[in-house]
Amino acid sequence: KAGVTQTPRYLIKTRGQQVTLSCSPISGHRSVSWYQQTPGQGLQFLFEYFSETQRNKGNFPGRFSGRQFSNSRSEMNVSTLELGDSALYLCASSLVGGHSYEQYFGPGTRLTVT
Amino acid sequence: TQLLEQSPQFLSIQEGENLTVYCNSSSVFSSLQWYRQEPGEGPVLLVTVVTGGEVKKLKRLTFQFGDARKDSSLHITAAQPGDTGLYLCAGNSGNQFYFGTGTSLTVIP
């Protein structure tokens, strides 16, 4: 079974631009979560989508948004990029059900804002 | 404020030594997971513990979930250079998933 894939793997953008990141979950997984990872803050939860609906949201500004498609693929958008948005953006998929809620991560998209 | 605190934050040991990493919280978790992350990659799930007091073994790694389901530990026996990486605990409380602060382990050959 193929793992979680994220595209692109690396991205360089200029402050003020916007960016869209893509995530394809493991086949059969309906939940997709997004995280931002930086050396200073660690892994921070952005939001979770399930069946095309945002189910949970972390404490990030409205510049960060996402969506999920009917095939469970998800995109994350960041508008008006700031230098502080430079980070590794990770997507994780999971099966819904049971209480273990295990997550499987993609390799991430390394975003650099200059 | 981090819901899950890990200690130590950094650990550098010689090959063959034993070590323990701790993951603590004041909140109760229905389950806790441990992940290992290598530079430039996403975290990889190692184990999930669900029952208070549960102990799981994965080769030289032993994971324990606290009786009150508020804390967990990871013990590595005879560490190898391949164990080097960032170890993260994580758990769900309510409808949200929280990650620990991380422990960066370096095993020196």
Side-chain angles (χ1 to χ4, degrees):
Chain A
K1 186 185 278 191
V4 178
T5 58
Q6 291 186 246
T7 56
R9 288 294 309 273
Y10 302 93
L11 205 49
I12 300 175
K13 289 287 188 178
T14 304
R15 193 169 51 181
Q17 289 185 314
Q18 75 165 18
V19 66
T20 299
L21 312 181
S22 181
C23 171
S24 292
I26 292 172
S27 178
H29 285 195
R30 296 168 64 192
S31 171
V32 174
S33 296
W34 288 89
Y35 294 86
Q36 181 195 66
Q37 187 175 33
T38 59
Q41 299 297 319
L43 259 165
Q44 293 192 297
F45 172 75
L46 280 156
F47 29 65
E48 179 203 4
Y49 284 87
F50 175 74
S51 292
E52 303 176 63
T53 301
Q54 188 180 88
R55 185 159 71 170
N56 288 299
K57 188 177 189 304
N59 190 26
F60 277 80
R63 299 186 296 108
F64 292 81
S65 63
R67 59 177 175 169
Q68 187 180 33
F69 302 95
S70 57
N71 61 358
S72 294
R73 190 177 70 84
S74 178
E75 288 183 346
M76 189 191 94
N77 185 274
V78 187
S79 63
T80 319
L81 284 166
E82 301 178 359
L83 296 178
D85 297 333
S86 294
L88 180 68
Y89 288 89
L90 293 160
C91 160
S93 75
S94 65
L95 276 170
V96 179
H99 49 232
S100 64
Y101 202 50
E102 298 173 346
Q103 301 209 349
Y104 297 86
F105 284 83
T109 294
R110 172 71 64 185
L111 172 65
T112 302
V113 181
T114 62
Chain B
T1 304
Q2 291 279 1
L3 202 62
L4 286 166
E5 295 284 344
Q6 287 184 239
S7 61
Q9 187 177 358
F10 298 96
L11 194 53
S12 181
I13 61 171
Q14 295 289 329
E15 181 177 358
E17 291 184 349
N18 301 332
L19 67 115
T20 301
V21 176
Y22 299 93
C23 173
N24 295 297
S25 177
S26 57
S27 299
V28 175
F29 288 85
S30 56
S31 67
L32 271 179
Q33 289 87 45
W34 283 92
Y35 293 81
R36 183 173 72 207
Q37 184 179 21
E38 298 189 16
E41 299 295 327
V44 174
L45 179 66
L46 296 174
V47 78
T48 298
V49 286
V50 178
T51 306
E54 182 177 4
V55 176
K56 280 192 174 178
K57 292 196 173 189
L58 186 67
K59 297 181 182 178
R60 294 176 292 99
L61 278 60
T62 301
F63 305 85
Q64 184 162 11
F65 200 11
D67 291 340
R69 291 187 289 130
K70 292 182 179 181
D71 54 84
S72 181
S73 64
L74 157 60
H75 182 80
I76 301 179
T77 304
Q80 305 292 313
D83 296 328
T84 293
L86 178 67
Y87 287 82
L88 295 156
C89 64
N92 49 299
S93 182
N95 283 329
Q96 205 164 117
F97 203 65
Y98 298 91
F99 273 89
T101 47
T103 295
S104 180
L105 171 65
T106 302
V107 182
I108 303 165

